[in-house]
């Protein structure tokens, strides 16, 4: 059972722990400790123990964490022990790039449809998986038919709110928004992705700025 009030930064760190645990397993290790994870991720061991304690007791005192058990537990908590079907709205640069990204599929996130308002794109197929591009007019029907739970917004910023509202109307469970605009939504999980924010944070740090941790 996942507690409801998990601070947003915790969920981001859990994804980092999962990646790190996979790396350690691939290097042949069986166990790890909050100290080792902390050193690899530049986080305090106490932070890692606190984050993991939200979801139960993953380790035995003094014995560290069994990596396979920790991996399974993180996958359950992160919801990647099941497959998620994804629909991308906007079959442009970002939409196409995401559709062709095999890393998503490996983690259980399967792009099953794209939607676009440009009639010349509708009816085409994207990438080696031949993912169909549908008209935006059919979006609710396709979301139901293809069991799409996650919607990705990859349209220009001035269209993003309308697209988000449409996805909510179609009863999508969660949205990943690539458009550089704040979306106003009730009752649906939302994650913003903004590469330019990462660049700004980086140039801030290169210039000697500090914001006290990850
Ligand atoms: P693009 O112009 O290549 O593609 C946009 C697509 O959306 C086009 O196929 C267009 O026909 C379609 N579209 C426009 N309005 C629509 C609507 N109302 N419904 C359905 N489809 C619609 O744009 P690109 O380069 O793929 O960028 C997409 C978005 O991602 C933009 O908002 C851009 O600013 C943003 N972006 C975000 C980044 C990030 O780090 N989050 C990085 C790069 C771009």
């Amino acid at each position: 059972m996942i507690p409801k009030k998990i601070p947003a930064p915790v969920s981001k760190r859990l994804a980092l722990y999962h990646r790190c645990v996979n790396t350690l397993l691939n290097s042949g290790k069986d166990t790890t400790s909050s100290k080792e994870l902390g050193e690899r991720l530049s986080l305090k061991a106490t932070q890692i123990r606190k984050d993991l304690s939200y979801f139960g007791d993953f380790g035995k005192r003094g014995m560290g964490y069994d990596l396979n058990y920790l991996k399974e537990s993180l996958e359950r908590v992160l919801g990647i022990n099941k497959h998620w079907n994804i629909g991308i709205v906007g079959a442009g640069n970002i939409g196409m790039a995401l559709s062709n990204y095999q890393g998503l599929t490996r983690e259980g996130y399967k792009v099953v449809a794209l939607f676009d308002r440009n009639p010349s794109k509708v009816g085409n197929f994207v990438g080696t998986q031949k993912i169909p591009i549908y008209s935006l007019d059919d979006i609710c029907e396709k979301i139901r038919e293809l069991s799409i739970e996650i919607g990705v917004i990859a349209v220009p910023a001035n269209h993003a709110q309308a697209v988000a509202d449409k996805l909510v109307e179609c009863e999508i469970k969660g949205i990943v928004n690539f458009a550089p605009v704040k979306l106003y939504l009730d009752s649906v999980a939302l994650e913003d992705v903004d590469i330019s924010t990462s660049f700004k944070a980086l140039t801030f740090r290169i210039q000697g700025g500090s914001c006290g941790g990850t």
Side-chain angles (χ1 to χ4, degrees), residues 90 92-94 116-117 121 136 154-157 159 178-180 193-195:
N93 296 309
I94 294 281
D116 207 284
R117 66 170 192 163
K121 295 193 176 185
L136 200 65
V155 299
H159 289 262
F178 277 82
V193 178
D194 187 354
I195 291 166

Side-chain angles (χ1 to χ4, degrees), residues 20-33 36-37 65-73:
C20 191
V21 162
N22 269 330
T23 307
L24 289 168
L25 276 169
N26 289 337
S27 73
K29 294 195 78 165
D30 296 324
T31 56
T32 188
S33 61
E36 181 177 41
L37 288 173
Y65 301 108
D66 177 285
L67 279 167
N68 277 306
Y69 181 65
L70 186 56
K71 176 176 148 77
E72 270 171 36
S73 305

Side-chain angles (χ1 to χ4, degrees), residues 51 75 92 102 105 125 143 184 213:
D51 288 348
E75 288 181 352
Q102 294 305 305
T105 319
F125 297 86
I143 281 176
Y184 296 91

Side-chain angles (χ1 to χ4, degrees), residues 48-118:
I48 291 171
R49 285 198 293 272
K50 184 173 174 215
D51 288 348
L52 295 178
S53 72
Y54 279 107
F55 307 98
D57 194 8
F58 287 116
K60 292 195 188 93
R61 192 167 286 278
M63 304 272 289
Y65 301 108
D66 177 285
L67 279 167
N68 277 306
Y69 181 65
L70 186 56
K71 176 176 148 77
E72 270 171 36
S73 305
L74 285 168
E75 288 181 352
R76 184 173 32 80
V77 167
L78 289 165
I80 47 180
N81 56 344
K82 61 163 273 191
H83 286 274
W84 297 86
N85 285 348
I86 298 177
I88 300 177
V89 188
N93 296 309
I94 294 281
M96 301 283 213
L98 281 176
S99 306
N100 284 311
Y101 178 45
Q102 294 305 305
L104 273 183
T105 319
R106 277 197 298 273
E107 301 262 33
Y109 302 100
K110 187 167 185 220
V111 179
V112 294
L114 291 102
F115 301 92
D116 207 284
R117 66 170 192 163
N118 182 340

Side-chain angles (χ1 to χ4, degrees), residues 33-50:
S33 61
S34 48
K35 182 168 176 280
E36 181 177 41
L37 288 173
E39 281 164 1
R40 286 181 167 255
L41 295 167
S42 302
L43 290 167
K44 289 189 177 127
T46 47
Q47 177 75 73
I48 291 171
R49 285 198 293 272
K50 184 173 174 215

